[in-house]
Amino acid sequence: MTAQRPASVTLVEVGPRDGLQNESRLLSTDTKVEMIRRLAAAGLKRIEAASFVNPTRVPQMADAEAVLARVVGMPGLGVSGLVLNERGFERALAAGLREISFVAVATDAMAARNQGTTARGLVEAWGRLAGRAQAAGLFRSVTIAVAFGCPFEGEVPLARVIEIARALAESGLDEICLADTIGVATPAAVEARFSALAQAVPGLPMRAHFHNTRNTGYANADAALRSGVTVLDASLGGLGGCPFAPGATGNIATEDLAAMLERDRVATGVSLAALTDATRWLEAAMERRLPAHGAHVSPWPAVPAA
Ligand code: MG
């Protein structure tokens, strides 16, 4: 483990995708677009704005194309969409995206449940898409889901994750992400997996996706940064949940992660004030309090009395 964290970290906002996907309350297209606009204004440069899934399975994403039509091309903003299969890839191309997040899966049981195939089937699907994505000029981020544990198979061997990562990289990609889909990672596991990943695919930028299901998400983010990761996913307000863990909280919260990093002089490029304002706005839209703490505690450092 490299004890030092990088001087700066890229935050990928996944609230409009992973956050909303796990919320039962449906938001209007206008509200989703406003959420993305506020996030971009707060300094987020990469936003995962939608998922190309079957709308009968995930009603929250039924307006994916309508949302993307209004946010792709926002100045200074990189918009991506989650691609689960070849049909999703075609939709990403048609939507004019310049970046995609393809989802591979570490276990057969999760691959069957999520994408109707096997772990190997998804590696092969990426083999058919990687070259086309490159030819189209897309930035190709690939995630390995349930990389730290699977709700159906339990513990996931590190060797299997590394084998999948190598196979995906052979087809070509620009960034690899390990996702703790159900929030069971720990700092030691994060260190072990990303250290092994860095050796397996040297030079490839590494990204991490954590859920705060058991309140280990921020410790895991810190461990990831000390293990060579330079890109972290987070969701505004800690929005979301987990379809396989009833009652679970969502991703680590963008504002709480950014506050931790900025206190330690790790640059994120985001405005904490703008993010907490955005969370208060989103809480009003969702009509519930979100898990993040930043919007509900006093700003720090405190503003000195005049
Ligand atoms: Mg997730």
Side-chain angles (χ1 to χ4, degrees), residues 17-18 181 209 211 251:
R17 195 279 300 172
D18 203 5
T181 307
H209 177 100
H211 282 255
N251 301 97

Side-chain angles (χ1 to χ4, degrees), residues 60-218:
Q60 188 72 263
M61 292 293 131
D63 61 349
E65 273 83 358
V67 171
L68 293 172
R70 291 169 60 185
V71 301
V72 170
M74 270 188 186
L77 180 63
V79 177
S80 72
L82 207 69
V83 169
L84 303 182
N85 50 37
E86 281 145 306
R87 174 165 163 70
F89 178 74
E90 301 299 340
R91 289 174 65 187
L93 282 182
L97 292 185
R98 308 308 304 151
E99 173 181 341
I100 56 169
S101 289
F102 180 81
V103 180
V105 177
T107 66
D108 286 336
M110 182 58 122
R113 184 73 69 101
N114 204 44
Q115 283 139 288
T117 181
T118 60
R120 168 57 51 183
L122 289 165
V123 168
E124 291 169 358
W126 180 244
R128 293 188 290 275
L129 294 175
R132 291 185 61 202
Q134 185 180 37
L138 301 184
F139 182 83
R140 304 166 299 172
S141 189
V142 178
T143 290
I144 302 177
V146 295
F148 295 86
C150 173
F152 311 113
E153 295 190 20
E155 299 292 346
V156 174
L158 187 158
R160 190 193 304 165
V161 174
I162 297 303
E163 179 193 339
I164 291 170
R166 278 209 179 93
L168 293 165
E170 274 174 22
S171 297
L173 41 73
D174 301 305
E175 174 182 87
I176 185 132
C177 177
L178 298 186
D180 182 21
T181 307
I182 57 170
V184 293
T186 61
V190 168
E191 179 194 341
R193 287 184 187 226
F194 279 106
S195 298
L197 183 64
Q199 290 193 345
V201 290
L204 194 60
M206 296 192 298
R207 168 178 171 184
H209 177 100
F210 296 118
H211 282 255
N212 201 33
T213 313
R214 292 167 181 83
N215 273 340
T216 56
Y218 301 93

